[in-house]
Amino acid sequence: MRLPNVFTAFADIAMTACVGVAVLPEVSTSYLGTIALLALASASHYLSGMVWNDVFDLAEDLRDRPFRPLPSGRIFLHTAIALASFLTLAGIGFAVLGGAIAWGIGLAAAVLLYDAWLKRTPFGPVAMAACRFLNVMLGLSAIPAELLADERRIHIAGVIGVYILGVTWFARTEAAVSNRWHLRGAAGVIAVSLALALLLRARVADLPGLAMYLFPYLLVTFGFAIGLPIAKAIRKPGPKEVQGAIKSCVLGLVALDAVLATAFVGAPGLLILLLLIPALAIGKWVYST
């Protein structure tokens, strides 16, 4: 299930909760309860995607990665299918309880389409980006429509979606020596996502109560933090370097969510970084890629 990475799904929902805190006249226990249900939906869908990934990749893993749980026989295929199905249904169920049935079903469909088919096509990175985009929209669905316009929702979710588009493209050939031009193109997409994040400042500047003074400085700091391992991987595009950059970018999604949160609630948004603690701790004994 790649447990360390599930905290990036929680981070997406936590960031959307900060948006809600900024725009809602009053943060009620009902809103917080809805956010909790959507966080559980998000995590269930993410974990289901990790298991479905191994189910649909079994033939390839038998050939190339026989040490993984399914090809090694440590986990039976029917067990994995049952777990993935349960997690998918749990994700939809939590979304229904959170009043986001359409987003829950849409995210489940996007995850299955990606794992079963699209990841093996040139549209793989776009499909993965769509999953993250829908995940953020799932969290934003808790905010009433009259308090946050659709174009603002799309912009916020688009920052995360474009970022994941670049990261997924960067990871396309992580198991072998990567093409430098592909890595440069993926790095350019990641840079575009940060530019979109900066433009978000103008998009939401008229919302009351925002505390954006830290946001641009933190965004630049984040850019350097992920840019250094990316640059190292482009200079030496071997599996070790590329996988290291990918791990930084995947866990860096938590930091990006925290930075985006500061655009709405100021310094308290950085509390999202606390999700890195369990992610890094679990990552010491569970692979994240």
Side-chain angles (χ1 to χ4, degrees):
M1 292 191 291
R2 318 294 197 277
L3 281 175
N5 295 350
V6 74
F7 295 96
T8 66
F10 285 134
D12 286 347
I13 305 301
M15 181 269 289
T16 65
C18 290
V19 178
V21 168
V23 302
L24 289 168
E26 180 183 357
V27 180
S28 64
T29 55
S30 174
Y31 174 73
L32 295 177
T34 298
I35 285 293
L37 289 169
L38 297 180
L40 291 172
S42 172
S44 297
H45 282 310
Y46 188 94
L47 295 174
S48 76
M50 295 297 98
V51 182
W52 283 125
N53 175 77
D54 283 10
V55 168
F56 289 115
D57 278 1
L58 180 55
E60 180 183 332
D61 286 346
L62 282 167
R63 183 185 68 244
D64 299 332
R65 293 173 285 272
F67 56 86
R68 283 187 170 180
L70 286 178
S72 68
R74 298 197 304 278
I75 301 293
F76 292 119
L77 179 60
H78 63 79
T79 303
I81 292 173
L83 175 60
S85 301
F86 170 77
L87 289 167
T88 297
L89 292 174
I92 294 173
F94 284 127
V96 170
L97 293 174
I101 182 172
W103 296 114
I105 293 174
L107 183 52
V111 168
L112 281 168
L113 281 172
Y114 173 79
D115 281 329
W117 176 47
L118 290 173
K119 70 181 177 184
R120 298 174 183 84
T121 74
F123 298 103
V126 176
M128 178 59 80
C131 291
R132 280 292 178 172
F133 176 88
L134 290 171
N135 192 50
V136 176
M137 293 296 283
L138 175 74
L140 292 172
S141 69
I143 302 172
E146 64 271 16
L147 296 179
L148 190 67
D150 286 345
E151 61 269 19
R152 287 172 171 166
R153 295 171 193 261
I154 291 170
H155 193 138
I156 295 167
V159 171
I160 301 299
V162 174
Y163 177 79
I164 292 301
L165 171 61
V167 173
T168 308
W169 183 9
F170 203 92
R172 289 287 274 183
T173 55
E174 62 173 308
V177 176
S178 298
N179 182 297
R180 281 195 178 91
W181 286 107
H182 287 181
L183 295 181
R184 290 186 180 110
V189 173
I190 293 172
V192 168
S193 73
L194 301 187
L196 284 173
L198 192 59
L199 290 173
L200 180 64
R201 189 181 189 191
R203 172 78 70 179
V204 300
D206 62 321
L207 293 176
L210 298 189
M212 287 194 171
Y213 52 92
L214 285 175
F215 173 61
Y217 305 103
L218 291 172
L219 188 63
V220 171
T221 302
F222 173 77
F224 277 106
I226 63 166
L228 292 176
I230 287 174
K232 180 180 178 182
I234 292 173
R235 287 195 304 270
K236 187 180 179 182
K240 180 180 178 181
E241 291 75 18
V242 171
Q243 289 174 10
I246 293 164
K247 184 175 182 180
S248 296
C249 289
V250 170
L251 292 179
L253 181 55
V254 176
L256 179 56
D257 279 320
V259 171
L260 290 175
T262 66
F264 295 91
V265 297
L270 295 176
L271 290 172
I272 292 175
L273 291 173
L274 293 175
L275 290 170
L276 285 173
I277 296 175
L280 293 171
I282 297 173
K284 292 183 181 296
W285 56 275
V286 177
Y287 285 112
S288 60
T289 62

